[in-house]
Amino acid sequence: MLLFDKKKTSALKHFIILQFKFYLELFLTLHFQKMTTINSIDKTIIDIQKVRAQFPILSRRVNGKLLIYFDNGATAQKPIQVIDAIVYYYINQNANIHRGVHTLSQEITVAYEHARVTIQKHLNAEHAHEIIFTKGTTDSINLVAHSFGKKYITKGDEIIISEMEHHSNILPWQQLCEEKGAILKVIPINDSGELLMDEYEKLLSSKTKIVSVTHISNVLGTINPVKEIIALAHAKNIPVLIDGAQAVPHTKADVQELDADFYCFSAHKLFGPTGVGILYGKEKYLNEMPPYQVGGGTIKTVTFAKTEYADLPLKFEAGTPHIAGGMGLAAAINYVNEIGLDAIAAYEHELLVYATSALNKINGVKIIGEAANKASVISFVVEGLHPFDLGTILDQLGIAVRTGHHCTQPLMQRFGIQGTVRVSFAFYNTKEEIDEFIIGLERAIKMLS
Amino acid sequence: MSIEEIEQEIIEEFEIFDDWMGKYEFLIDMGKSLPMIEEKYKTDDKLIKGCQSRVWMHSELKDGKVIFTADSDAIITKGMVALMVRVLSNHTPDEIINAKLEFVDKIGLTQHLSPTRSNGLVSMIKQMKMDALAYKVK
């Protein structure tokens, strides 16, 4: 009996140990799976508190209130990583590039060219020399209009833009048309703020020399089908310029995948410094195009009789560039990639949906731009009230929004309005801020009505 | 009342409010009471440039004094227009040209004088003084 009991006890012990082992393994397996799930989620979720802490300006007060910055479409705030890169340049690296034989100059030349490669990889351009540093999107478009125009545009040629363009993507072409006797054609949009692609196809002809459209509208938030726009133009051998100013902070722009001939953006909307931007251009065009501005750095040899210009990209980079800006831009790109553009797009879409639904609940609010495919930009008007008044009251509440025509007067004419209030979100904005904004807007409407 | 006396009166009226909300509500009410410009003068040539909101300003000379009427499509701007009209209207060209308009600073609306504001308070003052100057040299 005792022996049996001993045996029984030992069997029981054995059983318990087995059971324990089984559950331990099960637990570990499940836990491990959970861990890996959490890890994979981590790559698509933004740690909002950590991110906000990296933007020093977000902790300042405006009119006594903690700043709520919803004017990211105008310019984005800068993370400490970008600020540090600029400060580091001036403290440790300052020298002119591409010139000196001394160590400092050589170090910064390497660093600056490395920044160019960072941008090349980010845009997935084939060559680093297809990346031209400019002052910004406006400067990039002016460069193309001027230089491409000089080479390729003659009397009677046609240039296609769209009804939703920023003045920066209208005026350079308008001026070029006036100079050359060319004709500006405009792709119309529907009431939701989407390009009428049928109309676009009809505009493309043997006279069309270039198409220049925005990737994302700065007012409507519409994400244009740029890949399709490019493919349709390419079917007729027409090159396409894409204004990516509003797109790069929200989405991945792969110039080879899009097959864009030119792509431009500004660093300051991509959390980088002001005064620096990028023009990507296909080698085959950039090589043929004459220099835009000429001077130091753009040459191989100069005599009073003739000048031989440098190869790409220096041909288009006259004078000492914004070196600190280039370093800052590279830091901004690295920063954005660390967070991940997919995570950014997913989070901003959440903010867009949340804010759109909250705005639609307010009496008298009408959203301008209701495209199916939208970035986190919302323009709206309030019946009977002026955007300027709303913006002024919101500012008193510490909420920064944009009001006015947003440099898109033809678009305002299309919708028969003087201007809008625009809120544009970045990944450091939160739903709590949107709640505050909605309360503020309701308060403003009450005060002004 | 002289321009300075009207300015002083406005400063005292604004002193009642210690927060921005009261000030703006007062400004909005003032906008609503602005003597409207006649519809026939609300034309593009009466539009003051440099305003994010539109301001129409008309002036005429009556018995040696300049009479201003104005309107705006934005109510806060209209309030500021009303203030300027109240201060400057019904004075001689010389008085208008020499007005220092220090009340704007004293009632806490200085921020509206900054060029980034683009509401055109500066353009508005400039236009009113230009009109006065034109009457003076006539």
Side-chain angles (χ1 to χ4, degrees):
Chain A
M1 190 67 198
L2 194 76
L3 190 73
F4 175 75
D5 273 355
K6 260 190 179 170
K7 266 186 186 168
K8 197 177 157 192
T9 317
S10 136
L12 195 67
K13 267 185 187 167
H14 188 65
F15 177 74
I16 289 168
I17 289 168
L18 274 180
Q19 284 272 308
F20 177 73
K21 271 174 110 178
F22 172 76
Y23 281 111
L24 182 70
E25 269 172 33
L26 186 71
F27 171 77
L28 286 175
T29 316
L30 285 175
H31 186 69
F32 183 66
Q33 273 178 356
K34 203 174 151 202
M35 292 274 289
T36 49
T37 325
I38 285 171
N39 278 340
S40 62
I41 284 173
D42 267 349
K43 283 174 192 157
T44 57
I45 284 183
I46 292 172
D47 184 344
I48 193 73
Q49 289 318 318
K50 187 180 153 199
V51 162
R52 285 184 68 85
Q54 289 164 340
F55 288 80
I57 206 168
L58 295 180
S59 56
R60 76 157 277 185
R61 287 181 171 271
V62 169
N63 293 322
K65 305 272 175 18
L66 194 63
L67 168 69
I68 294 180
Y69 189 75
F70 283 173
D71 196 17
N72 294 287
T75 195
Q77 297 303 346
K78 322 303 173 198
I80 194 71
Q81 287 84 342
V82 168
I83 298 165
D84 281 349
I86 296 164
V87 170
Y88 184 82
Y89 164 73
Y90 283 118
I91 290 178
N92 297 289
Q93 303 171 295
N94 181 49
N96 211 332
I97 55 166
H98 301 142
R99 284 160 176 80
V101 291
H102 59 81
T103 307
L104 271 186
S105 175
Q106 287 181 353
E107 274 179 14
I108 191 58
T109 301
V110 169
Y112 192 70
E113 288 310 315
H114 186 72
R116 197 190 301 275
V117 172
T118 302
I119 296 150
Q120 174 211 349
K121 284 184 179 154
H122 187 68
L123 291 178
N124 191 30
E126 196 178 350
H127 308 289
H129 60 250
E130 292 174 321
I131 304 296
I132 312 290
F133 281 106
T134 64
K135 286 187 287 184
T137 308
T138 302
D139 191 33
S140 300
I141 299 174
N142 271 281
L143 189 160
V144 178
H146 189 273
S147 172
F148 181 94
K150 202 169 184 178
K151 173 90 184 174
Y152 297 103
I153 307 286
T154 50
K155 196 170 191 295
D157 285 345
E158 293 177 359
I159 295 165
I160 298 179
I161 59 168
S162 91
E163 206 170 12
M164 65 170 85
E165 298 310 316
H166 188 281
H167 292 166
S168 297
N169 198 23
I170 302 174
L171 307 192
W173 305 112
Q174 202 173 44
Q175 205 182 41
L176 177 65
C177 286
E178 276 170 24
E179 266 173 38
K180 298 273 187 168
I183 300 146
L184 198 62
K185 296 276 177 179
V186 182
I187 313 165
I189 57 170
N190 63 20
D191 290 341
S192 301
E194 293 159 321
L195 292 177
L196 295 174
M197 293 298 282
D198 294 351
E199 297 299 319
Y200 167 56
E201 274 192 75
K202 281 185 218 159
L203 290 178
L204 288 165
S205 78
S206 57
K207 288 180 187 167
T208 314
K209 286 292 145 70
I210 191 165
V211 175
S212 187
V213 289
T214 189
H215 195 162
I216 293 179
S217 159
N218 68 316
V219 175
L220 309 166
T222 312
I223 303 173
N224 284 324
V226 284
K227 200 174 171 181
E228 198 187 334
I229 290 169
I230 293 166
L232 286 167
H234 283 182
K236 296 189 171 168
N237 289 320
I238 303 160
V240 180
L241 180 148
I242 301 295
D243 170 356
Q246 294 292 332
V248 286
H250 307 291
T251 182
K252 178 94 186 141
D254 181 327
V255 292
Q256 289 194 78
E257 201 241 327
L258 294 174
D259 204 14
D261 302 284
F262 300 100
Y263 195 97
C264 346
F265 70 89
S266 302
H268 73 95
K269 293 193 205 291
L270 184 59
F271 317 99
T274 54
V276 64
I278 293 299
L279 167 67
Y280 157 80
K282 275 185 188 163
E283 188 183 36
K284 64 172 178 179
Y285 289 111
L286 293 180
N287 269 334
E288 293 300 314
M289 284 157 52
Y292 169 45
Q293 291 172 328
V294 292
T298 61
I299 52 96
K300 275 180 186 163
T301 55
V302 177
T303 66
F304 284 116
K306 190 165 172 61
T307 295
E308 194 190 346
Y309 286 100
D311 294 329
L312 290 175
L314 300 184
K315 181 171 98 175
F316 289 109
E317 295 180 351
T320 297
H322 186 355
I323 305 170
M327 306 313 291
L329 172 56
I333 286 176
N334 289 334
Y335 178 79
V336 164
N337 284 331
E338 217 168 276
I339 296 175
L341 274 166
D342 288 343
I344 289 172
Y347 178 70
E348 288 178 348
H349 186 72
E350 251 180 70
L351 295 181
L352 172 73
V353 171
Y354 188 77
T356 303
S357 122
L359 276 167
N360 277 331
K361 282 182 195 134
I362 302 177
N363 249 344
V365 167
K366 181 172 171 22
I367 291 177
I368 307 291
E370 294 173 301
N373 202 8
K374 254 185 96 164
S376 55
V377 175
I378 309 174
S379 263
F380 64 92
V381 289
V382 181
E383 207 187 331
L385 299 182
H386 198 285
F388 168 80
D389 289 329
L390 292 164
T392 303
I393 302 293
L394 285 170
D395 175 56
Q396 289 295 327
L397 296 165
I399 304 166
V401 300
R402 178 81 186 268
T403 62
H405 55 64
H406 317 290
C407 299
T408 58
Q409 287 183 10
L411 183 64
M412 297 294 112
Q413 288 149 19
R414 161 67 177 77
F415 283 97
I417 49 179
Q418 283 291 321
T420 71
V421 179
R422 182 188 70 183
V423 288
S424 46
F425 308 121
F427 55 80
Y428 44 66
N429 290 128
T430 65
K431 287 183 183 172
E432 290 73 27
E433 286 180 315
I434 293 173
D435 291 340
E436 284 286 319
F437 156 69
I438 294 291
I439 293 167
L441 180 64
E442 281 173 332
R443 193 171 163 189
I445 292 172
K446 208 173 150 194
M447 266 182 85
L448 294 163
S449 299
Chain B
M1 266 202 281
S2 71
I3 287 180
E4 283 76 23
E5 281 165 353
I6 303 171
E7 285 189 52
Q8 192 51 44
E9 196 179 72
I10 292 170
I11 292 166
E12 281 162 20
E13 285 168 11
F14 270 87
E15 269 168 3
I16 302 167
F17 309 103
D18 47 10
D19 67 336
W20 69 271
M21 211 169 153
K23 280 182 189 171
Y24 273 86
E25 271 170 351
F26 186 54
L27 202 59
I28 290 163
D29 283 345
M30 222 169 316
K32 287 174 183 164
S33 66
L34 178 73
M36 293 265 211
I37 192 168
E38 280 180 69
E39 231 13 75
K40 64 174 175 182
Y41 294 130
K42 270 172 98 170
T43 49
D44 279 359
D45 62 313
K46 300 278 179 195
L47 213 53
I48 295 178
K49 298 224 162 55
C51 300
Q52 203 183 85
S53 44
R54 288 182 294 178
V55 174
W56 295 269
M57 178 87 67
H58 172 71
S59 67
E60 47 195 289
L61 195 66
K62 242 183 207 169
D63 306 328
K65 288 179 175 177
V66 186
I67 311 292
F68 292 102
T69 49
D71 199 3
S72 173
D73 54 355
I75 192 73
I76 293 173
T77 311
K78 210 168 156 178
M80 284 185 289
V81 178
L83 278 178
M84 297 316 303
V85 168
R86 183 172 151 198
V87 172
L88 294 179
S89 194
N90 216 9
H91 288 94
T92 65
D94 271 327
E95 287 168 341
I96 295 165
I97 293 161
N98 296 322
K100 291 196 184 75
L101 304 174
E102 285 164 342
F103 79 102
V104 180
D105 187 25
K106 291 192 177 136
I107 61 176
L109 291 174
T110 320
Q111 51 169 317
H112 287 285
L113 284 172
S114 102
T116 57
R117 276 280 161 170
S118 49
N119 66 25
L121 187 53
V122 173
S123 317
M124 209 185 299
I125 294 170
K126 200 171 145 198
Q127 187 60 50
M128 293 170 98
K129 291 200 169 203
M130 293 277 280
D131 281 12
L133 192 66
Y135 289 122
K136 189 189 167 175
V137 298
K138 245 179 200 172

